[in-house]
């Protein structure tokens, strides 16, 4: 009852303030555009639009910024599907199946399911956020360095699911990624590692230029090489066809359900965030799907799973931000800066002290997600027009966007060079059929694995037993072991049974013959 | 006598003209920017130094303190040293930069191509007090209890601070040195990581900005040990300073503005005056208070001496830590 009353309060604040609804729409729209541009992610979008909110009421301002956040989460999938370049880091996994779908003339369907999955992920999590935010916030801080280490190990096992045809090539890619993750200053000693004295490398290699190079540039070069145009099936652009059919819903629904829960939980953990949520959700979908062999070749659930997870994670990340003052991602960190600017300090007493504000925001999240759905679906015919542009022109424009995007990351030409370098590397890898996704995942997870391992070892006085002896660590590591070795072991047992039963049968037939 | 008088008068007249001439000369040749001024920041949009720079730019714009627009430019990377290297390389009177602690510490670790001596201080704005807080279930009520436990259990207590060499590291090191104990310092990447580790009880203690800590302290989730500052923190007046507890620890981040060292004196004076005007607005004071910073404005002349003092201080402390790590 209390909850409904609060929600009523929230909606009445919104209705009293029609401008706020307008700004929610403006925020979502800006977010979708920013998300779709390669290199510009939600945190940059929020930072750039922050000055616009200076003159606004706090509620209105934060509603707009939240709109940018979830708009960008969906926007990233647009460029991922249409031009095989993740618009932001959380959309890396969306390229794996989204782009093949586009190549097959199913771009509309892929973007449609991405929009639905995003909105479902977002809306479900608003409800969860509303119900349990203050209670589960404490769960997030139960994760210390040792627990993060085990979580990262779990994440790394998902590489096994991305290796494609050849596990050796997959692991080659992953180890290359782990190597790239070691570049930079050592967190503990401050010593330089593989930096060649270049200060640009001191903070390590950001994985956004890597992803843009490996996916975007490499794709442009290969497409030119193969001179293959994407066929656009005009009929697929009709609104009716943007709704996935019954069969497709059947494929996607369980993955959206699981991806949303997984995404929310990962989002809760500070430092894990939407990108890792999307990785893990894709992996989970691939493992649990009945048609896992179709993944990477255009499985529609391969788009749905990461998309719902990254929107769910963006909601999850708001829980520790509002209730503990711990931002779980770059975007929430900037949002927290905005809150403090408005004189509102997030923390345990936030919901109590700023009830109007908090419930107004929650109500706006419902509105924002509806806006996202409407914009996503109505905008689709426009987005898809991109594919009608002739390949040479489109490629040149995309290349321009990628290079500008990589410059704007740090306002540095160094990143542009880095993007081109990884583009060239990506081309070679494509020709050698080495998958790129394991490398990107290894770069994201590698640095965090090392950081958390070293912190955990320091906290455990160098005693690995103490470090691994924590309950959460044990559970997560067992899960990782199970995922890594479960399938081969089960297969081996099955094979052994088969062969033994086959032998039995042989023997029986031998006996019969004798 | 009369003649002498005339000579004296004449002499005084000439002297007056000369004196006025000398004084009024800079006024006539006073330098003003004739193109937009860049305010350089060493981290990305949304970071601490970035918000600081944007607040300065906003006050300047709102009060129209500068004839030209002041534009914030982010050059993140290398713990801000990419931005400082850019500042030195450009050597332009139209580019100034905001500084944080890494401006002093990173060059001392050998991981920066520039050093503070490459720049001229323009103005010093504020200090960021550091609050040393204890995890929620910490058994220690006073610093004496903590020191006694640490003496009996060397290396057992863990101190969370940001990066491998920062003000936090120095506070931990000074506490170890002055109390004759061995608390283990554990580097984290950001203030929010430290807060998460503290709330989860993964570390025993840590250094935090009072603005970040105060909500949790008031709510009873975190307990405070002491504040590393010149005075008690306004919002948490019950927390003693280290000095009051008998420790010579007041390590704090300086927030300031610098320019490349070849900049002419009148340019430095112009920016110093500009920053002084910024520091005198109520919006600025308000912004500092909201962000847990304590104003300490020094113009370019005063900051020059203090810059040197701070640099020497960092040298001593960083050397201590580096030699210990070896």
């Amino acid at each position: 009852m209390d909850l409904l009353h609060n929600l009523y309060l929230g909606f009445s604040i919104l209705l009293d303030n029609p401008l706020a609804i307008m700004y929610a729409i403006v925020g979502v729209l800006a977010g979708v555009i920013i998300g779709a541009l390669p290199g510009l992610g939600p945190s940059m979008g929020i930072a750039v639009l922050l000055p616009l909110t200076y003159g606004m009421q706090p509620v209105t301002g934060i509603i707009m910024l939240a709109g940018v956040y979830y708009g960008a989460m969906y926007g990233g999938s647009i460029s991922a599907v249409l031009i095989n370049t993740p618009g932001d880091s959380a959309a890396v996994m969306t390229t794996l199946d989204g782009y093949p779908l586009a190549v097959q003339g199913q771009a509309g369907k892929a973007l449609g399911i991405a929009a639905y999955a995003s909105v479902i992920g977002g809306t479900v999590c608003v409800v969860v956020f509303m119900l349990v935010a203050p209670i589960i916030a404490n769960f997030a801080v139960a994760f210390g360095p040792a627990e993060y280490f085990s979580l990262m190990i779990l994440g790394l096992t998902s590489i096994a699911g991305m290796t494609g045809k050849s596990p050796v090539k997959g692991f080659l890619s992953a180890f290359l990624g782990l190597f790239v993750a070691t570049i930079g200053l050592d967190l503990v000693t401050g010593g330089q590692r593989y930096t060649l004295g270049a200060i640009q490398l001191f903070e390590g290699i950001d994985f956004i230029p890597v992803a843009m190079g490996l996916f975007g540039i490499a794709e442009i070069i290969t497409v030119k090489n193969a001179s293959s145009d994407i066929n656009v099936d005009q009929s697929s652009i009709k609104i009716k066809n943007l709704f996935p059919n019954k069969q497709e819903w059947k494929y996607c629904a369980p993955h959206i359900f699981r991806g949303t829960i997984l995404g929310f939980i990962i989002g809760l953990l500070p430092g894990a965030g939407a990108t890792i949520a999307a990785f893990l959700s894709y992996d989970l979908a691939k493992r649990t799907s009945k048609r896992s062999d179709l993944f990477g070749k255009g499985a529609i659930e391969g788009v749905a799973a990461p998309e719902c997870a990254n929107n769910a994670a963006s909601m999850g990340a708001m829980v520790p931000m509002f209730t503990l003052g711990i931002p779980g991602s770059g975007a929430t960190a900037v949002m927290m800066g905005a809150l403090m600017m408005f004189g509102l300090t997030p923390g345990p007493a936030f919901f109590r002290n700023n009830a109007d504000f908090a419930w107004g925001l929650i109500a706006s999240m419902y509105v924002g997600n509806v806006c996202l759905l409407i914009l996503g679906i109505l905008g689709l015919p426009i987005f898809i027009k991109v594919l009608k542009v002739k390949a040479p022109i489109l490629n040149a424009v995309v290349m321009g966007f990628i290079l500008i995007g990589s410059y704007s990351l740090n306002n540095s030409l160094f990143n542009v060079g880095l993007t081109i370098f990884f583009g060239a590397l990506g081309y070679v890898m494509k020709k050698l059929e080495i998958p790129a996704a394991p490398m990107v995942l290894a770069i994201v997870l590698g640095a965090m694995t090392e950081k958390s391992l070293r912190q955990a070892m320091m906290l455990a006085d160098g005693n690995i037993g103490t470090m691994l002896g924590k309950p959460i660590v044990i559970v997560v590591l067992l899960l990782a072991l199970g995922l890594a070795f479960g399938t081969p072991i089960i297969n081996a047992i099955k094979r052994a049974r088969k062969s033994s039963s086959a032998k039995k049968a042989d023997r029986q037939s031998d006996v019969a013959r004798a | 006598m009369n003649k002498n008088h005339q000579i004296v008068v004449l002499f005084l007249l000439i002297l007056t003209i000369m004196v006025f001439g000398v004084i009024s000369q800079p006024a006539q040749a006073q330098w003003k920017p004739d193109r937009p001024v860049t305010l350089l920041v060493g981290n990305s949009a949304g970071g601490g130094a970035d918000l600081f720079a944007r607040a300065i730019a906003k006050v300047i714009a709102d009060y129209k303190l500068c004839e030209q627009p002041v534009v914030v430019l982010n050059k993140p990377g290398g713990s801000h040293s990419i931005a400082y290297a850019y500042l030195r390389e450009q050597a332009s009177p139209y580019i100034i930069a905001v500084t944080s602690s890494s401006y002093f510490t990173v060059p001392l670790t050998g991981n920066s191509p520039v050093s503070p001596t490459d720049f001229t201080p323009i103005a010093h704005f504020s200090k960021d007090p550091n609050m040393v807080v204890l995890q929620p279930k910490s058994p220690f009520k006073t610093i004496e209890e903590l020191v006694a436990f640490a003496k009996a259990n060397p290396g057992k207590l863990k101190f969370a601070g940001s990066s491998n060499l920062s003000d936090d590291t120095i506070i931990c090191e000074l506490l170890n040195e002055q109390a004759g104990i061995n608390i283990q310092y554990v580097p984290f990447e950001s203030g929010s990581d430290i807060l998460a580790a503290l709330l989860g009880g993964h570390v025993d203690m840590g250094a935090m900005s009072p603005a970040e800590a105060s909500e949790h302290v008031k709510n009873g989730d975190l307990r405070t040990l002491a504040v590393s500052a010149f005075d008690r923190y306004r919002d948490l007046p019950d927390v003693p300073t280290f000095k009051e507890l008998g420790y010579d620890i007041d390590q704090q981040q300086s927030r300031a503005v610098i320019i490349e060292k070849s900049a002419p004196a009148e340019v430095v004076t112009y920016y110093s005056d500009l920053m002084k005007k910024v520091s005198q607005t109520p919006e600025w004071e308000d912004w500092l208070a909201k962000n847990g910073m304590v104003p300490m404005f020094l113009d370019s002349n005063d900051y020059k001496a203090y810059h040197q003092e701070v640099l020497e201080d960092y040298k001593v402390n960083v050397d201590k830590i580096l030699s210990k790590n070896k």
Side-chain angles (χ1 to χ4, degrees), chain A residues 34-55:
Chain A
I34 287 167
L37 292 172
L40 298 184
S43 50
M44 189 178 282
I46 294 173
V48 168
L49 292 181
L50 187 59
L52 282 184
T53 65
Y54 283 166

Side-chain angles (χ1 to χ4, degrees), chain A residues 88-93 148 151-153 155-156 158-159 162 173-174 176-182 205-211 214-215 266 271-280 436-452, chain B residues 189:
Chain A
D88 61 49
S89 55
V92 169
M93 302 315 287
Y148 273 107
L151 186 68
M152 295 303 130
I153 294 293
L156 284 169
S158 68
I159 287 178
M162 290 173 209
S173 168
L176 215 57
L178 287 178
F179 162 68
V180 172
T182 61
I205 290 181
D206 190 5
F207 87 101
I208 295 178
V210 179
L214 288 183
F215 290 97
I266 300 289
T275 310
I276 291 173
F279 273 123
L280 291 178
M439 181 165 170
V440 176
L441 180 64
I443 292 177
V444 177
L445 298 180
M448 288 177 68
T449 310
E450 191 208 340
K451 181 186 83 175
S452 44
Chain B
E189 268 180 349

Side-chain angles (χ1 to χ4, degrees), chain A residues 156-366:
Chain A
L156 284 169
T157 60
S158 68
I159 287 178
M162 290 173 209
T163 52
K165 283 175 229 152
S166 157
V168 175
K169 284 178 177 171
F171 280 101
L172 182 67
S173 168
F175 280 112
L176 215 57
L178 287 178
F179 162 68
V180 172
T182 61
I183 295 174
L185 293 189
D186 183 308
L187 172 74
V188 177
T189 66
Q192 299 179 17
R193 296 190 305 204
Y194 307 111
T195 60
L196 310 170
I199 32 171
Q200 288 88 346
L201 290 176
F202 282 8
E203 283 183 0
I205 290 181
D206 190 5
F207 87 101
I208 295 178
V210 179
M212 288 198 297
L214 288 183
F215 290 97
I217 293 188
E219 178 61 31
I220 293 171
I221 308 173
T222 21
V223 163
K224 198 193 167 295
N225 211 345
S227 72
S228 66
D229 279 290
I230 298 174
N231 309 312
V232 182
D233 182 1
Q234 287 302 315
S235 67
S236 81
I237 301 175
K238 285 190 191 130
I239 296 280
K240 200 185 112 196
N241 288 324
L242 298 177
F243 288 93
N245 61 34
K246 238 184 187 170
Q247 185 57 38
E248 283 157 342
W249 270 121
K250 227 174 125 188
Y251 285 135
C252 293
H255 299 294
I256 292 180
F257 175 71
R258 282 189 285 251
T260 301
I261 297 173
L262 180 72
F264 190 75
I265 293 172
I266 300 289
L268 282 179
L269 305 173
T275 310
I276 291 173
F279 273 123
L280 291 178
S281 172
Y282 181 86
D283 184 55
L284 181 71
K286 193 177 171 181
R287 283 176 194 280
T288 52
S289 172
K290 284 186 191 109
R291 24 180 233 168
S292 56
D293 48 326
L294 208 65
F295 273 66
K297 294 175 201 137
I300 196 154
E301 58 268 43
V303 175
E307 277 305 311
C308 64
N310 67 27
N311 273 59
S314 71
M315 291 301 311
M318 291 200 200
V319 175
M321 193 266 276
F322 280 114
T323 56
L324 297 175
I326 300 172
S329 63
T332 40
V334 184
M335 272 175 74
M336 193 168 125
L339 282 175
M340 313 245 309
M341 192 187 73
F342 290 128
L344 300 161
T345 313
F350 186 78
F351 276 77
R352 206 168 51 238
N353 295 346
N354 308 288
D356 289 11
F357 178 89
W359 289 100
L361 176 70
I362 287 175
S364 89
M365 288 172 177
Y366 285 103

Side-chain angles (χ1 to χ4, degrees), chain A residues 340-419:
Chain A
M340 313 245 309
M341 192 187 73
F342 290 128
L344 300 161
T345 313
F350 186 78
F351 276 77
R352 206 168 51 238
N353 295 346
N354 308 288
D356 289 11
F357 178 89
W359 289 100
L361 176 70
I362 287 175
S364 89
M365 288 172 177
Y366 285 103
V367 177
N369 271 301
V370 174
C371 296
L372 180 59
L373 186 65
I374 296 169
L375 280 174
I377 297 303
L378 290 185
L380 269 184
I382 305 166
F383 302 145
I384 292 185
K385 290 236 162 67
V386 167
L387 292 178
K388 280 164 118 185
V389 180
K390 279 210 166 86
I393 298 170
L394 178 66
N395 286 341
V397 173
V398 170
M399 185 73 102
F401 272 128
I402 291 176
L403 295 182
I404 294 169
S406 57
Y407 178 81
S408 66
L409 270 182
N410 277 0
N411 291 329
S412 107
L413 273 177
F414 186 84
N415 274 339
V416 178
L418 213 58
T419 308

